[in-house]
Coordinates of all heavy atoms in Angstrom, one line a residue:
K1528 N 147.7 68.6 64.2 CA 148.1 67.3 63.5 C 149.1 66.6 64.3 O 149.0 65.3 64.7 CB 148.5 67.4 62.2 CG 148.9 66.2 61.4 CD 149.4 66.5 59.9 CE 149.8 65.2 59.3 NZ 150.3 65.5 57.9
I1529 N 150.1 67.3 64.8 CA 151.2 66.8 65.6 C 150.6 66.2 67.0 O 151.0 65.1 67.4 CB 152.3 67.8 65.8 CG1 152.9 68.2 64.5 CG2 153.3 67.2 66.9 CD1 154.0 69.2 64.6
L1530 N 149.7 67.0 67.6 CA 149.2 66.5 68.9 C 148.4 65.2 68.6 O 148.5 64.3 69.5 CB 148.2 67.6 69.4 CG 148.9 68.8 70.0 CD1 147.9 69.9 70.5 CD2 149.7 68.5 71.3
A1531 N 147.7 65.1 67.5 CA 146.8 64.0 67.2 C 147.8 62.7 67.1 O 147.4 61.6 67.4 CB 146.0 64.1 66.0
E1532 N 148.9 62.9 66.5 CA 149.8 61.8 66.2 C 150.6 61.5 67.6 O 150.9 60.3 67.8 CB 150.9 62.3 65.2 CG 150.4 62.5 63.8 CD 151.4 63.1 63.0 OE1 152.4 63.5 63.4 OE2 151.1 63.1 61.7
K1533 N 150.9 62.5 68.4 CA 151.7 62.1 69.6 C 150.8 61.8 70.9 O 151.4 61.0 71.7 CB 152.5 63.5 70.0 CG 153.4 63.9 69.0 CD 154.6 62.9 68.8 CE 155.7 63.4 67.7 NZ 156.7 62.4 67.5
M1534 N 149.5 62.2 70.9 CA 148.8 61.9 72.1 C 147.4 61.4 71.8 O 146.4 62.0 72.2 CB 148.8 63.0 73.1 CG 148.5 64.4 72.5 SD 148.5 65.8 73.6 CE 147.3 65.4 74.8
P1535 N 147.2 60.3 70.9 CA 145.9 59.9 70.5 C 145.1 59.3 71.7 O 145.7 58.7 72.6 CB 146.1 58.9 69.4 CG 147.5 58.3 69.8 CD 148.3 59.6 70.4
Q1536 N 143.9 59.7 71.7 CA 142.9 59.0 72.7 C 143.4 59.2 74.2 O 143.4 58.3 75.0 CB 142.7 57.5 72.5 CG 142.1 57.3 71.2 CD 141.8 55.8 70.9 OE1 142.1 55.0 71.7 NE2 141.2 55.5 69.8
T1537 N 143.8 60.4 74.5 CA 144.4 60.6 75.8 C 143.6 61.6 76.7 O 143.5 61.6 77.8 CB 145.8 61.2 75.7 OG1 145.8 62.3 75.0 CG2 146.8 60.1 75.3
A1538 N 142.9 62.7 76.1 CA 142.3 63.8 76.7 C 140.8 63.4 77.0 O 140.1 63.1 76.1 CB 142.5 65.0 75.9
N1539 N 140.5 63.6 78.3 CA 139.0 63.4 78.6 C 138.2 64.4 78.1 O 136.9 64.2 78.0 CB 139.0 63.3 80.2 CG 139.8 62.3 80.8 OD1 140.9 62.6 81.3 ND2 139.5 60.9 80.6
L1540 N 138.7 65.6 77.9 CA 138.0 66.8 77.3 C 138.9 67.5 76.4 O 140.0 67.9 76.8 CB 137.4 67.7 78.4 CG 136.9 69.0 77.9 CD1 135.5 68.9 77.0 CD2 136.5 70.0 79.1
V1541 N 138.4 67.6 75.1 CA 139.2 68.5 74.2 C 138.2 69.7 73.9 O 137.1 69.5 73.4 CB 139.6 67.7 73.0 CG1 140.3 68.6 72.0 CG2 140.4 66.5 73.4
I1542 N 138.8 70.8 74.1 CA 138.0 72.1 73.7 C 138.5 72.6 72.4 O 139.7 72.8 72.4 CB 138.1 73.1 74.9 CG1 137.6 72.5 76.3 CG2 137.4 74.4 74.5 CD1 138.0 73.4 77.4
V1543 N 137.6 72.9 71.5 CA 138.1 73.5 70.2 C 137.2 74.8 70.1 O 136.1 74.8 69.6 CB 137.9 72.6 69.0 CG1 138.4 73.3 67.8 CG2 138.6 71.2 69.3
D1544 N 137.8 76.0 70.5 CA 137.2 77.2 70.2 C 137.8 77.8 69.0 O 138.8 78.5 68.9 CB 137.6 78.2 71.4 CG 136.9 79.5 71.3 OD1 136.0 79.6 70.4 OD2 137.2 80.5 72.1
A1545 N 137.3 77.1 67.9 CA 138.1 77.1 66.6 C 138.0 78.6 65.9 O 137.1 79.4 66.1 CB 137.3 76.2 65.6
P1546 N 139.2 79.0 65.4 CA 139.3 80.3 64.6 C 138.3 80.4 63.6 O 138.0 79.4 62.9 CB 140.8 80.3 64.2 CG 141.2 78.9 64.2 CD 140.4 78.2 65.3
C1547 N 137.8 81.7 63.5 CA 136.7 81.8 62.4 C 136.8 83.1 61.7 O 137.8 83.9 61.9 CB 135.3 81.5 63.0 SG 134.9 82.7 64.2
T1548 N 135.7 83.5 61.1 CA 135.6 84.8 60.3 C 135.6 86.0 61.2 O 135.7 87.2 60.7 CB 134.4 84.8 59.5 OG1 133.2 84.6 60.3 CG2 134.4 83.6 58.4
G1549 N 135.2 85.8 62.4 CA 135.1 87.1 63.4 C 133.8 87.8 63.1 O 133.8 89.1 63.4
Q1550 N 132.8 87.3 62.5 CA 131.5 88.0 62.3 C 130.9 88.7 63.4 O 130.4 89.8 63.4 CB 130.6 87.0 61.6 CG 131.0 86.6 60.2 CD 130.1 85.6 59.5 OE1 129.2 85.1 60.3 NE2 130.4 85.1 58.5
S1551 N 131.0 88.0 64.6 CA 130.4 88.4 65.8 C 131.0 89.7 66.4 O 130.4 90.4 67.1 CB 130.4 87.4 66.9 OG 131.7 87.1 67.3
L1552 N 132.3 90.0 65.8 CA 133.0 91.2 66.3 C 132.2 92.5 65.9 O 132.3 93.5 66.5 CB 134.4 91.3 65.7 CG 135.3 90.2 66.2 CD1 136.7 90.3 65.4 CD2 135.6 90.3 67.7
L1553 N 131.4 92.4 64.9 CA 130.8 93.5 64.3 C 129.7 94.0 65.3 O 129.4 95.1 65.5 CB 130.1 93.3 63.0 CG 131.0 92.8 61.8 CD1 130.1 92.5 60.5 CD2 132.0 93.9 61.6
A1554 N 129.0 93.1 66.0 CA 128.0 93.4 67.0 C 128.6 94.1 68.2 O 127.9 94.7 69.0 CB 127.3 92.0 67.5
K1555 N 129.9 94.1 68.3 CA 130.6 94.8 69.4 C 131.2 96.1 69.0 O 131.8 96.8 69.9 CB 131.8 93.9 70.0 CG 131.4 92.5 70.5 CD 132.6 91.8 71.0 CE 132.2 90.3 71.5 NZ 133.4 89.6 71.8
G1556 N 131.0 96.4 67.7 CA 131.6 97.6 67.2 C 133.0 97.5 66.6 O 133.5 98.5 66.3
D1557 N 133.5 96.4 66.6 CA 134.8 96.2 66.0 C 134.8 95.8 64.5 O 133.7 95.8 64.0 CB 135.6 94.8 66.7 CG 135.7 95.1 68.2 OD1 135.9 96.3 68.6 OD2 135.9 94.2 68.9

Side-chain angles (χ1 to χ4, degrees):
K1528 181 180 179 181
I1529 296 175
L1530 288 174
E1532 293 171 350
K1533 298 295 185 182
M1534 48 183 298
Q1536 299 186 356
T1537 56
N1539 306 101
L1540 168 63
V1541 178
I1542 302 171
V1543 183
D1544 186 9
C1547 67
T1548 57
Q1550 294 170 356
S1551 65
L1552 295 175
L1553 299 180
K1555 300 178 183 179
D1557 296 334

